[in-house]
Amino acid sequence: MHALEQKILTEGIVLSDQVLKVDAFLNHQIDPVLMQQIGKEFAARFKDAGITKIITIEASGIAPAVMAGLELGVPVIFARKYQSLTLKDDLYRSKVFSFTKQTESTIAISNKHLSASDKALVIDDFLANGQAALGLIDLIHQANAEVVGVGIVIEKSFQSGRDILLEKGYRVESLARVQSLSHGTVEFVRD
Amino acid sequence: MHALEQKILTEGIVLSDQVLKVDAFLNHQIDPVLMQQIGKEFAARFKDAGITKIITIEASGIAPAVMAGLELGVPVIFARKYQSLTLKDDLYRSKVFSFTKQTESTIAISNKHLSASDKALVIDDFLANGQAALGLIDLIHQANAEVVGVGIVIEKSFQSGRDILLEKGYRVESLARVQSLSHGTVEFVRD
């Protein structure tokens, strides 16, 4: 997605070979116009998939997911990280290991809003090792709902997440695919 | 705002005299069409205020704030709760006491995205005792930026937050004002 790649090149900050910081438009400050474009792009790619729910995770997944939900005309559920949880319902829970933080956390969604008849699209801001996406997929499976695919704003293609998801048979649509962050420069995957 | 009040009446759950649960469309599952209507309503009420930034707090403030930012054509910054913070910049920090959870937490924003020339609108999902709004206002003041007003999706008018903010001279625009949750019923403030 050209507008997103341009934004990454002009406002993203390469912190290391592994870490791209996009606090200027996605992870802390949010560019609502870009989020709308992202929502439209996800909707275009998944428009024939019969999606009934979008599942994301707090906090940075919410803006792109809500814009996609607006375009597709479906509700969005954001999984809660357990420490911030005030939900009192019965919950589906899954454990997610963060390689960045070297910590395991629990994510959860209420069983009220997702059922066996749902066709769910997972949306997240980043795809690195795929652990967050797999956690969300696990929650969807606990509801016996169908996983239609995974929509990612920025994929770090040099990490294993995409391959892990593809091997398990999931469709992955990433709007920007970062090939390398070496030498302080962002390089994108070119087909 | 009629559509919001109707949604509260049909899908909100009164958990006690003090607690209204709106996990069906705002705090866990999100209704993107309603969020767009909310964004348009905030934009209409503040359209002549010269707003340059919207400031909210993760996670439930993000959806209404981003929709308002889209309508007003301005960026949105969501303050991070400290435990989820991976920001490495210099930060503005403020402490927020939660009466509900009886805990104090630290919220923060990077000093990169807010400056003395900004006119900031605070947006949040709920207004109860006003502590979260005051924390966000404190962050804005640390940047020497101007606070143009506070936009709230659901105000619990039987708690002190609105009066505290008005006494300090802030403009408060709440899209739904809940007068009472007694006897398991939602009653709205009527002028």
Side-chain angles (χ1 to χ4, degrees):
Chain A
M1 186 183 161
H2 183 72
L4 175 61
E5 290 186 352
Q6 288 306 304
K7 197 80 169 181
I8 292 168
L9 291 174
T10 54
E11 298 188 26
I13 297 173
V14 178
L15 286 184
S16 74
D17 283 10
Q18 304 290 313
V19 181
L20 172 66
K21 184 171 160 172
V22 290
D23 278 5
F25 59 90
L26 180 58
N27 292 145
H28 183 37
Q29 182 168 253
I30 298 173
D31 179 336
V33 174
L34 181 65
M35 292 305 123
Q36 187 183 45
Q37 293 171 318
I38 284 169
K40 285 179 193 288
E41 181 68 26
F42 281 134
R45 295 192 188 197
F46 287 102
K47 68 180 185 316
D48 299 322
I51 290 160
T52 62
K53 287 274 162 76
I54 292 174
I55 312 295
T56 188
I57 185 166
E58 62 178 345
S60 295
I62 294 174
V66 169
M67 289 298 185
L70 184 66
E71 292 297 322
L72 287 166
V74 301
V76 173
I77 302 171
F78 62 96
R80 290 287 198 174
K81 290 167 184 168
Y82 209 68
Q83 70 271 26
S84 73
L85 214 67
T86 53
L87 305 167
K88 292 274 168 33
D89 303 321
D90 289 330
L91 300 172
Y92 302 123
R93 291 181 182 82
S94 189
K95 291 196 172 158
V96 173
F97 184 77
S98 165
F99 286 91
T100 317
K101 299 182 188 167
Q102 290 288 316
T103 56
E104 189 177 71
S105 61
T106 299
I107 63 171
I109 60 175
S110 161
N111 68 5
K112 267 196 182 169
H113 304 300
L114 195 60
S115 70
S117 59
D118 276 313
K119 300 180 79 158
L121 170 63
V122 171
I123 285 187
D124 206 3
D125 57 338
F126 268 94
L127 176 63
N129 295 291
Q131 300 305 300
L134 288 172
L136 292 171
I137 287 169
D138 181 29
L139 297 177
I140 295 164
H141 284 162
Q142 289 179 46
N144 294 313
E146 181 185 340
V147 178
V148 165
V150 179
I152 297 293
V153 180
I154 303 175
E155 173 189 302
K156 296 200 277 188
S157 308
F158 53 88
Q159 291 184 278
S160 59
R162 182 189 182 86
D163 288 340
I164 290 170
L165 293 172
L166 292 178
E167 270 165 32
K168 289 178 182 288
Y170 299 112
R171 178 178 170 194
V172 179
E173 294 285 346
S174 302
L175 304 192
R177 299 186 61 203
V178 176
Q179 172 100 277
S180 159
L181 295 170
S182 298
H183 314 297
T185 308
V186 181
E187 255 180 72
F188 295 106
V189 174
R190 296 296 170 213
D191 301 321
Chain B
M1 185 182 161
H2 183 72
L4 175 61
E5 290 185 353
Q6 288 307 304
K7 196 80 168 180
I8 292 169
L9 291 174
T10 53
E11 299 189 25
I13 296 173
V14 178
L15 286 183
S16 73
D17 281 9
Q18 303 290 314
V19 181
L20 172 66
K21 183 170 162 173
V22 289
D23 278 5
F25 59 90
L26 180 59
N27 293 144
H28 183 37
Q29 181 168 254
I30 298 172
D31 178 335
V33 174
L34 181 66
M35 293 304 123
Q36 187 183 44
Q37 293 171 318
I38 285 169
K40 284 179 193 287
E41 181 67 26
F42 280 134
R45 295 193 188 196
F46 288 101
K47 69 179 183 315
D48 298 323
I51 291 159
T52 63
K53 287 274 162 75
I54 292 173
I55 313 294
T56 188
I57 185 165
E58 61 179 346
S60 296
I62 294 174
V66 169
M67 289 299 184
L70 184 67
E71 291 297 323
L72 287 166
V74 301
V76 173
I77 302 171
F78 63 96
R80 290 287 198 172
K81 290 169 185 167
Y82 209 68
Q83 70 270 24
S84 73
L85 215 67
T86 54
L87 304 167
K88 291 274 168 38
D89 303 320
D90 288 329
L91 299 172
Y92 302 124
R93 292 182 182 80
S94 190
K95 292 194 170 163
V96 174
F97 184 77
S98 165
F99 286 90
T100 316
K101 299 181 187 168
Q102 289 288 315
T103 55
E104 189 178 70
S105 61
T106 299
I107 63 173
I109 61 176
S110 160
N111 68 4
K112 268 197 182 167
H113 305 301
L114 196 60
S115 70
S117 60
D118 276 315
K119 300 180 79 157
L121 170 63
V122 170
I123 286 187
D124 206 3
D125 56 337
F126 268 94
L127 176 63
N129 295 290
Q131 300 304 300
L134 289 171
L136 293 170
I137 287 169
D138 181 30
L139 297 177
I140 295 165
H141 284 161
Q142 288 178 46
N144 294 312
E146 181 185 339
V147 177
V148 165
V150 179
I152 297 292
V153 180
I154 302 174
E155 173 189 304
K156 295 199 277 187
S157 308
F158 54 88
Q159 292 184 277
S160 58
R162 181 188 185 87
D163 287 341
I164 290 170
L165 293 171
L166 291 178
E167 268 165 35
K168 289 177 181 289
Y170 299 110
R171 178 178 169 195
V172 178
E173 294 285 348
S174 302
L175 305 192
R177 300 185 62 203
V178 175
Q179 174 98 281
S180 158
L181 295 171
S182 299
H183 313 298
T185 307
V186 181
E187 255 180 72
F188 295 105
V189 174
R190 295 296 171 213
D191 300 322

